[in-house]
């Protein structure tokens, strides 16, 4: 378990390629909360709830489907698309399962 630091990610892939990498939820939540300025104040609570719901997924398959549903939900609101792009790029695309 670690944060999303590129060096840790690279080292894990090179030294322990068979190891299962898990993301530290506290790091994800803390970093996302620093980006809440990308979202109108009245919309943040629902986004925070959606992220917490994703964190509770107990398998890769459920997580992948959950992410797909959250991305679809968020894409319907133009006021949160900037945060959606940040979240996807930083926490989903750069850190594949």
């Amino acid at each position: 378990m670690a944060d999303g630091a590129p060096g840790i990610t690279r080292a894990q892939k090179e030294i322990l390629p068979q190891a299962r990498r898990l993301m530290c939820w506290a790091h994800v939540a803390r970093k996302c909360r620093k980006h809440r300025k990308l979202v109108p104040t009245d919309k943040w609570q629902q986004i925070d709830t959606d992220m917490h719901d994703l964190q509770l997924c107990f398998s890769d398959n459920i997580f992948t489907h959950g992410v797909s549903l959250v991305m679809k939900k968020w894409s319907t609101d133009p006021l949160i698309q900037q945060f959606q792009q940040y979240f996807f790029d930083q926490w989903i695309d750069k850190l594949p399962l």
Side-chain angles (χ1 to χ4, degrees):
M1 173 132 355
D3 66 9
I8 293 173
T9 302
R10 194 171 36 259
Q12 183 264 323
K13 286 181 181 178
E14 291 174 11
I15 297 170
L16 302 166
Q18 302 299 330
R20 177 84 171 112
R21 172 88 184 277
L22 300 176
M23 180 60 56
C24 174
W25 174 244
H27 284 103
V28 174
R30 195 174 312 128
K31 292 288 188 177
C32 286
R33 287 180 182 139
K34 287 182 180 179
H35 286 82
R36 76 173 105 189
K37 64 185 176 289
L38 299 174
V39 177
T41 307
D42 63 321
K43 299 198 181 264
W44 178 253
Q45 184 59 48
Q46 184 58 55
I47 288 174
D48 197 51
T49 299
D50 290 343
M51 290 187 304
H52 278 80
D53 289 346
L54 284 176
Q55 185 264 337
L56 296 174
C57 293
F58 54 86
S59 75
D60 291 348
N61 188 40
I62 292 172
F63 179 80
T64 300
H65 286 297
V67 166
S68 178
L69 291 171
V70 167
M71 291 297 110
K72 285 179 185 176
K73 176 183 177 182
W74 290 355
S75 69
T76 64
D77 188 339
L79 297 176
I80 62 173
Q81 286 179 352
Q82 202 173 7
F83 180 83
Q84 176 195 9
Q85 191 64 50
Y86 156 76
F87 184 83
F88 184 81
D89 291 346
Q90 187 67 40
W91 301 108
I92 307 302
D93 195 41
K94 286 185 181 179
L95 301 166
L97 297 175

